[in-house]
Amino acid sequence: MEKHDGRDAGQARTGDPRDPWYDALASGWGELDGTGAPAPVAPPRAAPERIATAADIYLEVQRSAAFQEVRGRYRRFVVPGVALFFTWYVAYVVTATTAPGLMARPVAGAVNVAMLAGLGQFLTTFLLTWAYARHARLRRDHAALDLRWAVFEQKREQDQRRVLQQREHDQRVEQEQARGSER
């Protein structure tokens, strides 16, 4: 026989981590359970049902047609509104810096074009805010609330499933402990 490290090639190297079978014990093949008796063979467990995470729920909602419609309504209002307001603001600033004579032109008494345009900035800010709130209330809030309730419902169902699975797991552990203490 061929010799390695002073041992026969067929001789077992118990406890040697270089042994490819060192930590590959097969359940129920002679291991002891700590009392000196052979350990029982554990039946294979079924893979637990995958529960959707909160991220899965939100991604599902994000892909839904209802969510896309709400986002579309938002964009159709906000993009033109911002573009118009920004254009109006830039026109006011550019005119104030490039045409001071025009801005200084009196309109009524001590009120000039620059003062009216500045007050117009405040007025359009308030009008845009009012229009946005109205648009949201009439065109988006109801659909967004429906989506929110759908998400809450899915999350509630997910939490209930998780609690049931935890209870089942705890019962299995208690049963296994009870079987182990009977021996």
Side-chain angles (χ1 to χ4, degrees), residues 17-46:
R18 292 175 292 169
D19 181 6
W21 297 101
Y22 171 69
D23 61 350
L25 295 176
S27 286
W29 285 32
E31 294 92 2
L32 302 179
D33 66 357
T35 63
V41 177
R45 293 185 181 177

Side-chain angles (χ1 to χ4, degrees), residues 91-92 94-96 98-107 111-115 117:
Y92 170 70
V94 168
T95 306
T98 59
L102 172 67
M103 297 299 267
R105 190 171 292 164
V107 176
V111 178
N112 61 17
V113 174
M115 291 176 78

Side-chain angles (χ1 to χ4, degrees), residues 73-107:
R73 289 177 184 177
Y74 171 78
R75 281 189 215 106
R76 284 190 296 273
F77 179 85
V78 169
V79 171
V82 167
L84 286 171
F85 185 78
F86 187 71
T87 302
W88 160 228
Y89 175 75
V90 169
Y92 170 70
V93 172
V94 168
T95 306
T97 56
T98 59
L102 172 67
M103 297 299 267
R105 190 171 292 164
V107 176

